[in-house]
Amino acid sequence: MNRKDAEGLDRADDLAPFRARFELAERPIYMDGNSLGPPSSAVAAALTRAAREWQDDLVEGWETWIDRPGTVGDRLGRLLGAADGQVLVCDSTTVNLYKLAWAAIAHQAGRRVIVAEAGDFPTDRYVLQGLAETHGLQLRLVETRGDDPEGALEKAMDSDTALVCLSHVHFRTGRKLAADRLTAAAHDRGALILWDLAHSAGSVPVDLDGWEADLAVGCTYKHLNAGPGSPGFLYVRRSLQDDLRQPIWGWFGQDNQFEMETAYRPRPGIGSFLAGTPGILSLAAVDAAVALVQSAGPIRLYAKAERMTRLLFESARERLVPLGADIITPKDPTRRGAHVSVSHPRAWPWCRALIDRRLVVADFRTPDVIRLGPGSLYSRFVDCYDAVEAMAQVMEDGFPDAAVRRRVT
C-alpha cells in the first residue's frame, strides 16, 4: 500500500466528517488513542451544560442527577451488547475490578484459585494479588506467549477455580482473546469470569450478553474519548445481581438511601454495586462521548478500526521490520484489537524523538514497545500511513540514545 491508496480509503470513508468534531489540525499525528482519546466538541459542550446546570440548580439538580450512573450505563451497555439494567458508570476501573472480583470470590466459597494472565495490565494483577493474599487464595498467572493463548488459559482452569479474570484486548500486544470460548470454558468448570474491556470498549465488537459473560469492567477515556480520569464502568449479568455482594457498602448502594437507616441493606439489582456519590460532570462527558460513538454506528466504527490496524500492520512490516523492529501484534486480523505494537531495543528514545520532532504522538510501554492506536472517529488512513513513514525516517536519520522519560498512563 502507498500513500495514494491511503488517500483513496479516506475519500471512501463515510466516518470522515466526524474528524471535524476533534481539534487535531496543525498537530503531530495522534496515535495514542488507546491511552487517552482526544476531546470532541460534543464532550466540551456537555461539560459546559453540566456546569450551567450546577450553577442554576445547585442542590436541586440531584432530582435528575441521582440516576445518571444507571442511565449513562444503559447507553454504554448498548455498545457492549448488554441489555439495560446491567451496566453502571461509576468509580475507576481499578475500584470496579476490586468490587466485582471480591464479590465473585465471596460467592464462590470453597474454591481456592484465581486464574489470570501473567502479562496482563498491572492494575488487574495487583488487585488480584491483593485479594488472593487477603483471602488465602492461589493466584495462578498463566504465560500465553504461544499461538493458542486460549488453550493455555483453559488448561489452567479446574474445578477449584473461583474466578477467571482476563483482558479482552491485551494492552501491550493488541491481541484479542476469543471471549465466547473462554467464557464457556470457565462456566464448564463452575468458575465465574470477569472481563476487562479497557482496550475494547468503543474500538472492537463486544457482546457481553451474547458471550454469557458474568462480569466486566472498563474505562471511558481511551476509545470512548470521555476525558482524562473519566469514570470507569462495570457490568454484572442480571441473573447474578442479587446473589453477589460487593465489599464497599456505601450509601449509594443502600436501599432507600435517604432513609439514613442504621443497618445496610443493598439495593436490588445493579444499583447495589454503587458505593459513593457519583461525579456528575464526568458522567455528562461520558454520556456525550458514548452518544457520539453511537451516532457514528458501531459496525462502521469497528470496520474502520480493522482497516486502519491492517494498514498499520502492513506498513510496519514493509518499512519498520527491515530496520530491526518486530511487530508483536498478531498477524491474523481477527485476533487484533484496535492498536498495533512494534518492539525495538531503542523503542523509548525512538518514541521520544517522534514526539520531540512533532511528528507522531505514539505510546511507549516498557521495556521496548511502541503502540500505535488510531481512533475511528478522528484518525485518517493517511495518518496511519504517514505515522509509519515518520517512524522509518527517524530511525534512518538517527536519534540520541538518551531521552527524558515522561509519565504516561
Side-chain angles (χ1 to χ4, degrees):
M1 181 170 291
N2 55 42
R3 198 174 195 278
K4 287 186 177 181
D5 295 326
E7 291 171 348
L9 290 172
D10 283 326
R11 285 192 295 272
D13 178 19
D14 54 1
L15 294 180
F18 283 90
R19 179 177 169 84
R21 306 189 190 194
F22 298 82
E23 296 183 7
L24 294 172
E26 308 304 323
R27 289 189 170 196
I29 299 169
Y30 194 69
M31 285 283 137
D32 209 352
N34 57 321
S35 186
L36 177 65
S40 67
S41 57
V43 167
L47 287 169
T48 299
R49 287 194 301 272
R52 175 61 64 181
E53 287 178 3
W54 172 24
Q55 179 173 315
D56 291 348
D57 299 339
L58 291 176
V59 73
E60 293 181 354
W62 280 108
E63 291 294 327
T64 56
W65 297 337
I66 199 163
D67 295 323
R68 291 279 172 85
T71 57
V72 179
D74 285 344
R75 184 192 292 276
L76 176 55
R78 292 165 204 144
L79 288 179
L80 305 175
D84 288 358
Q86 299 179 104
V87 176
L88 293 173
V89 177
C90 60
D91 301 316
S92 68
T93 306
T94 302
V95 171
N96 288 331
L97 184 74
Y98 174 80
K99 290 191 295 187
L100 297 194
W102 193 100
I105 291 166
H107 181 69
Q108 297 280 78
R111 289 175 173 250
R112 312 304 302 166
V113 174
I114 303 170
V115 173
E117 193 171 355
D120 208 347
F121 191 73
T123 206
D124 298 55
R125 291 184 283 109
Y126 300 159
V127 166
L128 297 176
Q129 180 184 355
L131 288 171
E133 287 190 13
T134 301
H135 293 271
L137 306 179
Q138 176 193 354
L139 176 57
R140 190 174 291 165
L141 295 175
V142 183
E143 296 288 349
T144 56
R145 294 195 179 98
D147 294 331
D148 183 20
E150 289 85 0
L153 290 162
E154 287 170 344
K155 288 178 182 177
M157 304 177 199
D158 56 29
S159 60
D160 201 26
T161 302
L163 175 68
V164 179
C165 183
L166 302 168
S167 288
H168 182 219
V169 173
H170 194 274
F171 83 102
R172 186 188 301 277
T173 67
R175 180 218 61 212
K176 183 171 62 176
L177 289 172
D180 51 353
R181 171 181 165 181
L182 287 166
T183 299
H187 290 168
D188 285 346
R189 294 154 178 82
L192 296 177
I193 191 162
L194 195 170
W195 286 103
D196 184 336
L197 305 176
H199 286 86
S200 305
S203 65
V204 298
V206 174
D207 188 10
L208 289 170
D209 287 350
W211 298 343
E212 299 185 347
D214 300 310
L215 308 162
V217 298
C219 68
T220 60
Y221 51 78
K222 299 182 190 297
H223 296 286
L224 293 172
N225 311 309
S230 57
F233 63 85
L234 62 83
Y235 162 91
V236 181
R237 178 160 50 86
R238 190 182 305 279
S239 62
L240 285 172
Q241 290 173 8
D242 293 330
D243 293 332
L244 300 185
R245 182 70 66 91
Q246 62 113 340
I248 305 176
W249 293 6
W251 79 307
F252 262 72
Q254 163 77 341
D255 196 21
N256 297 318
Q257 69 184 105
F258 290 102
E259 296 294 326
M260 306 294 181
E261 297 176 0
T262 301
Y264 180 79
R265 291 184 298 108
R267 293 169 59 177
I270 192 67
S272 67
F273 293 87
L274 289 168
T277 306
I280 298 305
L281 298 183
S282 296
L283 279 166
V286 176
D287 198 27
V290 173
L292 186 62
V293 172
Q294 285 179 319
S295 70
I299 294 175
R300 295 192 301 168
L301 199 79
Y302 304 148
K304 182 177 177 181
E306 192 277 331
R307 290 194 295 270
M308 286 194 297
T309 50
R310 183 188 297 268
L311 191 158
L312 284 169
F313 188 94
E314 293 177 354
S315 297
R317 182 170 55 189
E318 180 178 344
R319 295 289 283 125
L320 305 182
V321 171
L323 297 174
D326 184 30
I327 305 172
I328 62 173
T329 303
K331 295 178 182 179
D332 182 354
T334 66
R335 302 305 304 267
R336 295 199 289 254
H339 66 270
V340 172
S341 296
V342 175
S343 68
H344 190 276
R346 300 177 68 197
W348 169 246
W350 191 8
C351 186
R352 188 68 248 178
L354 290 164
I355 296 169
D356 291 342
R357 298 178 194 181
R358 295 190 58 77
L359 298 171
V360 179
V361 177
D363 187 48
F364 171 74
R365 280 294 175 261
T366 184
D368 61 357
V369 171
I370 297 176
R371 303 188 304 181
L372 300 170
S376 294
L377 289 177
Y378 54 83
S379 295
R380 301 170 299 186
F381 290 95
V382 291
D383 294 332
C384 298
Y385 182 86
D386 289 346
V388 174
E389 286 297 309
M391 292 177 72
Q393 190 63 55
V394 166
M395 178 63 78
E396 290 167 347
D397 291 346
F399 48 85
D401 284 322
V404 177
R405 289 288 292 272
R406 64 169 183 166
R407 292 180 179 178
V408 292
T409 59

